[in-house]
Amino acid sequence: MNIQSQNINLAEAKCDLLVINQFEGVKKPGGGTAAVDRALDGLIQKLTREEKFKAKFGETLIFHTHGKIPAKKVMILGLGERQGFNVESIRKLGGITIQKARDLKAKSVVTILHGPGTGRLDPTFCSRALTEGVTLANYRFLKYKKEEAKKVGKVDLQEFTIAEISRSKIRKIQRGIELGTAESRGVMYARDLVNEPAMHMLPKDLVERAKEISKGKSNIKLKIFNREQLEKMNAWGILGVAMGSVNEPYMIHLKYTPKKGKPKKRVALVGKGLTFDSGGLNIKTGNGMSEMKIDMAGAASVLGVFHALDALQPKVEVHAIIGACENMPSGSAVRPGDIITSMSGKTIEINNTDAEGRVTMADTLHYANKQKPDQIIDLATLTSAVIVALGSDITGIMGNDQKMINKLSDISKLTGEKLWQLPLDKDYAKRIKGKVGDVNNIGGGRTGGAIFAGLFLQEFIGKTPWVHMDIAATAYAEKPMNEYTPIGGTGVGVRLLLHYLDQV
Ligand code: BES
Ligand code: ZN
Ligand code: ZN
């Protein structure tokens, strides 16, 4: 699909579907919608009255033009109430447009840009959000559905055009399209990695993706640590978890430096990279194991961010650190009761081999901390407890720096990636002490599991400002999560972090 902004009059646009809009409670259409209404001799006002179109958010009214204007069909899109209308609304409207275009088998769409008119939002912001909504809603993972993939070029939407008549606005809109495209590509990169079956997304495949991202880019450096090097570093968190698998573990370290000027800050992003989590000897049930190819979603999102860094050029130094390994049961697997010594020197009592993510992250967080960053942010599909606590659509956020948490929460309201803070309670911290080792990897048992996992991670980050996001629920959508997030890997956190890096 090609997205562009063109100097065209809506009423004269030639396309399969023309999209115009209306706020709720508005008696007479204004702006572009009014222009189309005039060209149609007042048909829009007549139809909206007859059909009792209220312009509620996402409500649509679609009709044939019968040749009165060059567009074959018109869709009036309800914007809802003006109050509360923001860039996330625009993203959702983009998603609705894609769904309708698909139903109508439209190959070309021309649309008004929602937001800058009566919504009074910045045109670049609006077109960036619309581009994201449209691109992300249009995403499908068809790598293993070859016949369907072939059809895409023939029947799917090809041309998506934002109509505008002011030349200076077109430039701003075009910039928004560029930013939105780069950002969406990062999200889709992460989605692709998550959707890939574990047999094709082994630890070495994550390494290959990191190589692909850094290739030919002078400002992105890559370091890979293999088993031998991990042994030299005493990275027994990663090595211990990988003991049961025939697939070699790795640690990946990417570093992005801005092309111009001194970096404003240094931020380390750490992603959980379990390419498959069977549970190990504490093996999962059939149901519990079925989606565990997604256990590298934290790593996928961090790589998704890196994929977009080159195009977005934030003025901060960014590190990506990933422990890539597989949690498998076998004669050589780590056992319940085993004690491993992590890279930091702290010993970890493995009370349950299924709480493996935090054990690998003991090493990656420690390594991240040794890079002396100003901030550390980690993303991990860490606990089923966070799914119980917050449900399918909300990421659990916790950490030792309230300012960072507040900032991420504010940004998340605009990116639509919902967050809710959980407390790293000091009294709870006692429960992660080990009987024989320094710390144990399950904490207080079944209840409060997301917090105990967070408290465990905190043991390995020292005093560095740090935020942990438990994306166990939000990394994968069992049913469409919203208008632009279809079933499958979601790429959660990519847009959030890209916006954060831009503002930090
Ligand atoms: N990878 C899982 C968490 C998970 C569950 C992610 C469901 C996505 C969907 C993690 O390694 C795990 O198994 N955690 C255990 C910890 C427990 C044994 C203390 C859990 O949450 O059940
Ligand atoms: Zn597990
Ligand atoms: Zn896991």
Side-chain angles (χ1 to χ4, degrees):
M1 180 178 46
N2 177 34
I3 307 179
Q4 54 177 338
S5 179
Q6 262 188 12
N7 182 359
I8 28 175
N9 214 315
L10 287 166
E12 287 160 16
K14 205 164 167 271
C15 59
D16 292 337
L17 184 66
L18 177 68
V19 183
I20 52 179
N21 63 25
Q22 195 169 315
F23 272 110
E24 196 177 337
V26 172
K27 289 275 167 307
K28 261 190 139 192
T33 304
V36 178
D37 191 37
R38 277 195 299 277
L40 290 169
D41 300 327
L43 184 63
I44 291 177
Q45 289 199 63
K46 211 167 148 236
L47 276 176
T48 49
R49 234 179 291 125
E50 279 172 8
E51 299 290 331
K52 297 195 172 48
F53 180 78
K54 294 274 184 301
K56 294 247 178 259
F57 185 78
E59 191 183 351
T60 55
L61 182 63
I62 301 169
F63 58 89
H64 276 270
T65 61
H66 297 297
K68 278 193 182 156
I69 56 171
K72 285 189 193 143
K73 282 177 190 162
V74 171
M75 172 164 88
I76 316 170
L77 198 44
L79 303 183
E81 286 174 17
R82 204 165 298 172
Q83 212 184 0
F85 184 87
N86 62 17
V87 284
E88 172 62 355
S89 322
I90 299 174
R91 234 174 256 122
K92 288 183 174 169
L93 294 169
I96 295 170
T97 303
I98 287 296
Q99 285 156 22
K100 293 290 174 191
R102 210 174 263 166
D103 292 348
L104 299 170
K105 299 196 168 48
K107 285 189 154 189
S108 55
V109 167
V110 172
T111 183
I112 200 167
L113 182 59
H114 318 292
T118 3
R120 291 185 198 93
L121 299 171
D122 172 67
T124 304
F125 267 31
C126 295
S127 72
R128 181 175 183 170
L130 187 59
T131 302
E132 286 167 18
V134 165
T135 311
L136 295 175
N138 202 39
Y139 170 86
R140 274 175 293 172
F141 185 68
L142 295 177
K143 187 171 169 190
Y144 301 101
K145 283 184 186 276
K146 293 273 187 265
E147 283 308 307
E148 258 181 72
K150 260 191 246 159
K151 272 195 251 157
V152 168
K154 293 186 197 127
V155 299
D156 269 29
L157 180 58
Q158 304 294 314
E159 292 294 332
F160 186 90
T161 309
I162 302 174
E164 175 54 56
I165 37 179
S166 139
R167 293 245 172 238
S168 67
K169 266 199 189 159
I170 288 180
R171 263 198 305 280
K172 288 183 183 159
I173 293 172
Q174 206 60 45
R175 179 70 188 141
I177 294 173
E178 279 164 29
L179 295 170
T181 302
E183 205 175 328
S184 305
R185 284 194 183 140
V187 176
M188 295 192 292
Y189 191 80
R191 287 181 181 177
D192 276 347
L193 295 197
V194 173
N195 289 332
E196 193 69 61
M199 71 181 291
H200 300 304
M201 189 45 63
L202 299 169
K204 70 173 168 57
D205 295 301
L206 277 179
V207 169
E208 286 311 311
R209 302 306 159 106
K211 282 186 186 159
E212 179 181 285
I213 285 170
S214 58
K215 200 173 165 197
K217 300 204 178 83
S218 57
N219 60 333
I220 300 185
K221 293 260 177 296
L222 171 66
K223 273 194 216 158
I224 303 288
F225 301 89
N226 62 15
R227 180 187 292 278
E228 232 170 77
Q229 288 154 319
L230 290 172
E231 278 173 9
K232 280 199 191 113
M233 296 162 91
N234 295 316
W236 281 96
I238 297 171
L239 292 166
V241 169
M243 264 160 59
S245 171
V246 294
N247 296 305
E248 290 293 299
Y250 293 94
M251 187 166 78
I252 300 166
H253 178 187
L254 284 158
K255 177 180 160 192
Y256 157 91
T257 327
K259 280 192 177 136
K260 276 183 249 148
K262 194 172 169 284
K264 286 202 291 180
K265 274 210 171 77
R266 305 175 70 231
V267 181
L269 306 177
V270 175
K272 171 171 170 181
L274 262 294
T275 58
F276 190 74
D277 178 12
S278 68
L281 289 175
N282 290 108
I283 199 156
K284 287 180 182 291
T285 60
N287 253 348
M289 207 189 297
S290 64
E291 305 287 17
M292 276 308 127
K293 66 171 187 184
I294 71 148
D295 217 18
M296 35 57 76
S301 288
V302 168
L303 291 177
V305 168
F306 259 73
H307 189 270
L309 283 182
D310 206 40
L312 299 179
Q313 296 284 342
K315 295 183 177 61
V316 286
E317 184 179 300
V318 193
H319 296 251
I321 295 147
I322 293 163
C325 61
E326 194 179 36
N327 187 20
M328 291 300 223
S330 83
S332 61
V334 73
R335 313 157 188 83
D338 276 354
I339 303 231
I340 56 121
T341 306
S342 69
M343 201 193 287
S344 71
K346 275 194 190 171
T347 54
I348 303 173
E349 201 172 294
I350 307 290
N351 286 356
N352 188 318
T353 62
D354 196 11
E356 82 302 332
R358 65 196 81 182
V359 180
T360 66
M361 290 169 75
D363 284 348
T364 45
L365 288 171
H366 175 77
Y367 176 87
N369 206 28
K370 281 214 298 202
Q371 313 306 310
K372 296 199 170 33
D374 297 307
Q375 300 182 348
I376 300 177
I377 302 176
D378 81 68
L379 286 166
T381 46
L382 209 56
T383 67
S384 47
V386 84
I387 313 176
V388 177
L390 301 176
S392 59
D393 297 358
I394 304 175
T395 295
I397 183 168
M398 52 211 105
N400 63 7
D401 190 285
Q402 197 56 41
K403 269 206 201 116
M404 281 172 74
I405 294 176
N406 291 350
K407 180 129 204 173
L408 285 160
S409 300
D410 286 348
I411 295 172
S412 80
K413 291 193 182 92
L414 295 179
T415 65
E417 296 158 286
K418 295 177 188 165
L419 299 176
W420 194 258
Q421 186 176 1
L422 299 173
L424 288 177
D425 189 87
K426 281 204 176 62
D427 291 330
Y428 277 179
K430 293 178 202 122
R431 300 199 209 165
I432 58 160
K433 292 237 174 322
K435 282 197 282 269
V436 194
D438 293 327
V439 285
N440 84 66
N441 76 331
I442 54 171
R446 278 259 157 232
T447 61
I451 297 176
F452 290 113
L455 286 165
F456 179 97
L457 299 182
Q458 192 169 28
E459 291 287 318
F460 300 91
I461 47 98
K463 293 215 174 345
T464 310
W466 155 77
V467 167
H468 157 60
M469 286 189 257
D470 193 334
I471 57 167
T474 49
Y476 184 84
E478 275 174 28
K479 53 180 180 46
M481 192 179 278
N482 57 31
E483 288 78 350
Y484 56 88
T485 311
I487 290 173
T490 60
V492 66
V494 173
R495 290 179 300 113
L496 177 71
L497 289 175
L498 286 171
H499 282 261
Y500 181 80
L501 293 171
D502 211 32
Q503 294 179 28
V504 71

